[in-house]
């Protein structure tokens, strides 16, 4: 190749335009006393040092999970998203057959007033859990991988591990879906593996102490509040039916009474009203459980009438 065959470039190539006061010397006006030099503010950040973690603490997992594993937008103002936040274990709130619920405080040590206490529902390891009546609830559901589905059916060790993740994901999806529908459920903060962080539903005692809201079964509401509770549940069940959803295990034991409002919890077993062959049966049972409890408290509640009303909303 000769010199003439080489590409030719203009002698005066165009360069990026810089501000008139831009300088290339290390210290254009002499080294400043703080040693920062003439650095653009966009490249300056504050560095804050945190102490080492104590036992029962971990760094916040908010930024370590995928965006779809975080709660729906808009986030409530109490959700802590600081990268420097620390999760501190506060103790066990409730134990169950499939999962345990713990209390976890998430707070940035440099902004402790913005901290929040959440409920952490953790599905148990394969050595310590049993999923009862799982087949009737999961009928109509499909897994992404046939290998996982076969393992679950065989109840192998791997299958039990898959089941824990599937039930956690199922509850997370239900919480997100119910929240977006405006249903009374705890706000789902995030899911990480088999752990779901969610809003801690509380009440304030007469002495100002914050306590976990009691289950509906533990309350003795006045006739007026009892009627209000039943109306709230009827509206919630109607919204579920309109969207083809059945709670599947609704009773006074998985509903929290937070003052004058009810909050529905424990959602991993929700079923499709039409896609699951047992959908209608589960809905009838939910109606019977709810109406039976309200009748025991003195309210005239008819499960057949409630079921018929819900069917009118569903079809």
């Amino acid at each position: 190749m000769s010199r003439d065959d080489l590409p030719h470039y203009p002698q005066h190539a165009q360069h990026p335009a810089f501000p008139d006061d831009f300088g290339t010397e290390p210290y254009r006006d002499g080294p400043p006393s703080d040693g920062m030099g003439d650095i653009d503010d966009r490249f300056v950040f504050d560095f804050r040092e945190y102490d080492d973690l104590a036992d029962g603490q971990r760094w916040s997992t908010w930024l370590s999970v995928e965006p779809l594993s975080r709660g729906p937008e808009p986030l409530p103002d109490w959700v802590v998203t600081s990268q420097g936040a620390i999760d501190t274990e506060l103790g066990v709130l409730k134990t169950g057959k499939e999962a345990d619920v713990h209390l976890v405080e998430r707070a940035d040590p440099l902004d402790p007033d913005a901290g929040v206490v959440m409920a952490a529902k953790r599905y148990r390891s394969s050595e310590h859990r049993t999923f009862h009546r799982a087949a009737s609830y999961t009928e109509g559901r499909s897994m992404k991988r046939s290998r996982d589905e076969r393992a679950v059916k065989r109840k192998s060790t791997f299958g039990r591990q898959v089941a824990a993740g599937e039930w956690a994901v199922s509850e997370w999806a239900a919480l997100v879906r119910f929240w977006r529908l405006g249903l009374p459920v705890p706000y789902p903060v995030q899911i990480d593996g088999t752990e779901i962080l969610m809003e801690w539903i509380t009440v304030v005692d007469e002495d100002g102490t914050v306590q976990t809201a009691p289950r509906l079964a533990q309350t003795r509401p006045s006739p007026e509040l009892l009627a209000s509770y039943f109306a709230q549940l009827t509206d919630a069940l109607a919204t579920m039916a309109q969207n083809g959803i059945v709670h599947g295990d609704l009773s006074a034991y998985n509903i929290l009474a937070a003052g004058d409002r009810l909050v529905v919890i424990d959602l991993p077993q929700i079923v499709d009203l039409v896609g699951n062959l047992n959908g209608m049966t589960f809905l009838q049972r939910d109606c019977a459980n709810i109406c039976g409890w309200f009748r025991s408290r003195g309210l005239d509640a008819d499960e057949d009438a409630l079921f018929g009303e819900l069917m009118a909303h569903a079809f």
Side-chain angles (χ1 to χ4, degrees):
M1 180 182 294
S2 66
R3 181 185 299 271
D4 293 336
D5 294 328
L6 296 174
H8 296 280
Y9 297 97
Q11 294 182 353
H12 303 287
Q14 295 294 322
H15 296 285
F18 292 97
D20 294 337
D21 60 350
F22 181 84
T24 58
E25 298 82 3
Y27 299 108
R28 189 177 56 203
D29 301 318
S33 58
D34 60 4
M36 291 297 294
D38 195 24
I39 300 177
D40 192 317
D41 290 340
R42 292 174 297 175
F43 299 95
V44 178
F45 62 91
D46 292 329
F47 175 79
R48 299 183 296 177
E49 185 176 358
Y50 289 81
D51 295 330
D52 293 334
L53 299 182
D55 292 339
Q57 291 186 326
R58 70 184 182 193
W59 293 109
S60 168
T61 55
W62 173 260
L63 292 177
S64 65
V65 299
E66 298 178 354
L68 290 178
S69 295
R70 302 176 194 144
E73 300 281 355
L75 299 178
D77 56 9
W78 52 264
V79 175
V80 177
T81 61
S82 169
Q83 190 169 3
I86 295 173
D87 293 346
T88 303
E89 294 283 338
L90 301 181
V92 178
L93 182 62
K94 186 186 75 170
T95 59
K97 296 177 181 178
E98 289 85 27
D100 297 328
V101 181
H102 301 247
L103 287 182
V104 174
E105 180 188 40
R106 174 168 289 176
D108 190 323
L110 301 182
D111 187 18
D113 292 338
V116 63
V117 177
M118 301 174 290
K121 186 169 186 178
R122 296 167 183 161
Y123 280 84
R124 293 185 174 186
S125 64
S126 57
E127 294 82 8
H128 300 96
R129 70 170 178 271
T130 53
F131 289 92
H132 297 284
R133 297 172 295 168
S136 58
Y137 287 116
T138 57
E139 183 176 348
R141 296 183 190 175
S142 61
M143 294 186 179
K144 293 182 179 179
R145 299 191 302 179
S146 58
R147 171 175 174 262
D148 294 347
E149 191 166 357
R150 291 195 301 269
V152 170
K153 289 180 179 178
R154 289 197 305 268
K155 298 181 180 180
S156 64
T157 299
F158 174 71
R160 291 194 296 269
Q161 292 173 348
V162 172
E166 287 293 327
W167 282 79
V169 169
S170 176
E171 177 152 29
W172 168 258
L175 283 168
V176 172
R177 185 178 181 184
F178 279 25
W179 179 267
R180 287 174 172 161
L181 289 173
L183 288 165
V185 296
Y187 176 77
V189 177
Q190 69 174 75
I191 181 173
D192 186 9
T194 57
E195 177 191 74
I196 301 175
L197 290 178
M198 66 185 79
E199 178 185 3
W200 179 34
I201 306 301
T202 62
V203 292
V204 180
D205 292 344
E206 295 179 356
D207 59 359
T209 303
V210 177
Q211 300 284 351
T212 302
R215 298 178 184 183
L216 181 60
Q218 300 171 312
T219 65
R220 295 293 185 272
S222 65
E224 294 78 12
L225 185 57
L226 189 70
S228 174
Y229 281 167
F230 188 73
Q232 291 179 48
L233 279 179
T234 300
D235 290 343
L237 289 169
T239 300
M240 294 182 202
Q242 287 172 351
N243 289 274
I245 310 168
V246 180
H247 184 283
D249 194 28
L250 192 62
S251 73
Y253 291 93
N254 48 31
I255 300 172
L256 300 181
D260 58 358
R261 72 184 183 99
L262 296 182
V263 179
V264 179
I265 59 172
D266 294 337
L267 305 171
Q269 72 293 314
I270 67 166
V271 298
D272 189 294
L273 179 59
V274 177
N276 189 307
L277 294 177
N278 300 300
M280 296 292 183
T281 301
F282 282 129
L283 182 58
Q284 287 178 321
R285 190 177 67 185
D286 285 352
C287 292
N289 289 341
I290 290 302
C291 290
W293 184 86
F294 276 93
R295 280 199 303 271
S296 71
R297 295 296 185 270
L299 184 70
D300 184 15
D302 186 338
E303 59 260 34
D304 293 330
L306 177 59
F307 180 77
E309 181 180 347
L310 298 180
M311 286 294 96
H313 285 283
F315 300 102

